């Protein structure tokens, strides 16, 4: 495993290139958030940085994987909420294919509205739970990348998500700055799901009149098939995460 920083300045250029789409996304998010609790971040400037820029933090990593494979990526975004990072990545990489998986119906409907308004043709939105869909043959071990942003502890995420990955695929998880203890507890789960911890990439988001916020991307690589017994039902995953002593 290695650790490296992410430079976010170039991502501002990416956002600027697609500014019309992101402006529409922002307007829909602010408007719909008045009716539904989609996000606690509501100012345009904070949405730009803490949602859109943050969602693109893994772009260089994903571009490198696409170049290595020599083809567009197929990406699953789990627990996608208001469509972040999945829809943000779909805007800037229209040739890639995205599946956005969300368990809350109002958030699914919001994402569909965004996709319809922005005319995003490269996104499929699924209403469902990861632990149920990961056992389906058309989804299990069928994605180049699986993403999750601020969704759950790594020991739980590992079992929920890593079964979706192809061999050599990457799980990319948006986390806070202090992940060492969380990852230590999750090592057993990551290994049992057929993966290894590949890297941790740190980055900082700067917002005017606020303290800079530090974050991390945790990257796992699929190196073996996930045993068919995983994932278990969510109650067992939460009560007794893989790798924890019983």
């Amino acid at each position: 495993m290695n650790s490296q920083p992410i430079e976010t300045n170039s991502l501002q250029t990416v956002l600027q290139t697609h500014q019309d789409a992101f402006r529409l996304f922002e307007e829909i998010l602010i408007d719909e958030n008045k009716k539904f609790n989609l996000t606690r971040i509501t100012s345009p400037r904070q949405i730009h940085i803490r949602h859109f820029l943050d969602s693109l933090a893994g772009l260089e990593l994903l571009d490198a994987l696409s170049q290595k494979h020599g083809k567009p990526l197929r990406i699953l975004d789990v627990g996608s909420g208001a469509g972040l990072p999945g829809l943000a990545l779909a805007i800037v990489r229209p040739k890639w294919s995205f599946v956005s998986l969300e368990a809350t119906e109002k958030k699914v409907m919001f994402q569909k509205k965004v996709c319809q308004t922005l005319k995003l043709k490269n996104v499929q939105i699924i209403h469902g739970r990861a632990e149920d869909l990961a056992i389906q043959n058309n989804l299990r071990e069928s994605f180049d990348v699986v993403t999750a942003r601020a969704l759950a502890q790594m020991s739980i995420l590992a079992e929920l998500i890593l079964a979706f990955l192809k061999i050599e695929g990457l799980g990319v998880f948006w986390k806070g700055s202090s992940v060492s203890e969380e990852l230590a507890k999750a090592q057993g789960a990551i290994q049992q799901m057929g993966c290894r911890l590949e890297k941790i990439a740190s980055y900082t988001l700067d917002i005017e009149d606020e303290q800079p916020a530090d974050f991390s991307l945790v990257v796992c690589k699929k190196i073996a098939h996930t045993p068919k017994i995983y994932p278990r039902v969510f109650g067992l995953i939460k009560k007794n995460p893989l790798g924890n002593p019983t």
Side-chain angles (χ1 to χ4, degrees):
M1 182 192 72
N2 59 57
S3 180
Q4 63 185 61
I6 295 173
E7 175 54 60
T8 60
N9 289 337
S10 62
L11 299 178
Q12 291 282 13
T13 303
V14 177
L15 287 177
Q16 185 69 20
T17 301
H18 300 273
Q19 60 180 323
D20 291 342
F22 281 108
R23 187 179 296 115
L24 273 175
F25 194 166
E26 172 195 298
E27 290 173 357
I28 300 168
L29 180 57
I30 291 173
D31 184 58
E32 292 296 309
N33 200 57
K34 296 172 183 176
K35 298 178 258 183
F36 308 110
N37 182 24
L38 297 167
T39 177
R40 62 179 178 80
I41 298 170
T42 56
S43 76
R45 182 59 179 165
Q46 289 213 359
I47 289 172
H48 178 88
I49 300 295
R50 291 188 178 272
H51 277 332
F52 299 155
L53 186 66
D54 185 47
S55 292
L56 300 185
L59 189 59
E60 183 178 353
L61 169 76
L62 298 178
D63 281 340
L65 182 65
S66 180
Q67 291 170 9
K68 178 181 177 181
H69 288 183
K71 64 178 182 178
L73 297 178
R74 186 171 189 239
I75 298 178
L76 173 68
D77 186 24
V78 176
S80 49
L84 302 161
L87 298 190
L89 290 167
I91 289 170
V92 304
R93 292 295 179 266
K95 293 184 179 180
W96 297 358
S97 172
F98 293 83
V99 175
S100 183
L101 175 58
E102 173 54 46
T104 304
E105 187 173 8
K106 67 180 181 182
K107 295 177 181 178
V108 169
M109 298 307 296
F110 169 79
Q111 289 189 45
K112 288 182 177 180
K113 183 171 184 176
V114 173
C115 288
Q116 182 178 16
T117 303
L118 272 59
K119 296 181 172 56
L120 294 179
K121 305 298 185 183
N122 58 333
V123 180
Q124 177 187 5
I125 301 166
I126 297 178
H127 182 204
R129 299 184 63 88
E131 66 272 22
D132 298 328
L133 296 176
I135 63 176
Q136 295 184 7
N137 289 336
N138 63 320
L139 295 175
R140 187 179 181 88
E141 298 195 333
S142 64
F143 292 91
D144 302 303
V145 177
V146 179
T147 61
R149 180 173 177 260
L151 183 60
Q153 292 289 307
M154 277 298 305
S155 55
I156 293 174
L157 279 178
E159 187 170 353
L160 282 177
I161 287 177
L162 295 178
F164 288 106
L165 281 176
K166 297 177 180 178
I167 301 293
E168 297 293 313
L170 298 180
V172 184
F173 307 101
W174 275 245
K175 289 290 182 180
S177 58
S178 301
V179 295
S180 298
E181 183 177 348
E182 183 178 341
L183 289 176
K185 293 179 180 179
Q187 283 283 10
I190 292 169
Q191 292 172 4
Q192 285 179 252
M193 294 299 289
C195 295
R196 69 168 181 243
L197 185 59
E198 187 80 349
K199 69 172 67 176
I200 302 171
S202 60
Y203 62 100
T204 300
L205 298 180
D206 294 313
I207 300 180
E208 295 176 4
D209 302 322
E210 292 191 19
Q211 291 293 323
D214 296 325
F215 297 95
S216 302
L217 282 184
V218 174
V219 182
C220 299
K221 186 174 183 178
K222 191 73 170 281
I223 57 175
H225 292 293
T226 298
K228 293 183 178 180
I229 59 173
Y230 303 128
R232 300 166 294 165
V233 298
F234 185 71
L236 288 176
I237 297 173
K238 186 175 180 180
K239 182 179 180 181
N240 185 29
L242 293 178
N244 284 8
T246 56

